[in-house]
Amino acid sequence: MISFLGEFEQLLLLAIIRCGDEAYGAALQRELEQVRRGVHLGAVYTTLLRLESKGLVASRVGDPTAERGGRRKKFYRILPAGSRQLERSLAALRTMTAGLPRPLEAP
C-alpha cells in the first residue's frame, strides 16, 4: 500500500535534498522557514522520526564539534524510497494543477 505525503513531509524531504550533507534539524528548520513562517524545531524532528519510521529517510550521528560543546549533530538523508514517494507526490500535484488559471481561482 502506498502512503501519501503531507505538505510538511514534502517540504521537509525537499529541504533534506537542498541541504545535502548538512541536513540536520536546525539547518532544515532554517531552510523551511524560507518558504513557511514559524517552523518549530519540534515539528521538524517529529516529522523526521515519522519519515524515518516509514523508511523514507535515514539518519546518522556526526562527530562531536567544539562549537556545540562536544555535542553531536544528527544528520538526515533521503532514501531511494523517499525519492520515489516524493516524485510521485510532486507528479500528482503537477497533474492536478495543470491547466488551472494563475493565480488559482475557484469558479
Side-chain angles (χ1 to χ4, degrees):
M1 179 171 98
I2 296 175
S3 64
F4 294 95
L5 294 173
E7 176 191 10
F8 194 73
E9 290 174 322
Q10 291 172 4
L11 292 173
L12 188 52
L13 287 172
L14 291 167
I16 291 170
I17 293 168
R18 290 177 68 88
C19 287
D21 291 340
E22 291 299 311
Y24 64 96
L28 294 169
Q29 179 188 30
R30 285 190 299 274
E31 190 69 34
L32 290 168
E33 284 183 335
Q34 292 183 29
V35 294
R36 188 177 189 161
R37 286 182 159 198
V39 176
H40 295 281
L41 193 55
V44 171
Y45 281 117
T46 298
T47 306
L48 286 168
L49 286 172
R50 185 170 59 250
L51 291 171
E52 198 165 19
S53 73
K54 289 180 177 182
L56 303 180
V57 301
S59 63
R60 67 172 175 79
V61 177
D63 294 326
T65 59
E67 78 254 5
R68 291 178 42 90
R71 292 183 23 227
R72 300 168 182 257
K73 291 179 184 172
K74 192 171 187 180
F75 295 93
Y76 293 86
R77 65 182 173 85
I78 190 168
L79 294 173
S83 293
R84 287 190 302 273
Q85 188 66 26
L86 179 59
E87 189 55 47
R88 278 193 292 265
S89 184
L90 295 175
L93 284 173
R94 284 190 292 272
T95 298
M96 291 300 295
T97 58
L100 292 176
R102 303 283 187 241
L104 298 178
E105 297 175 2

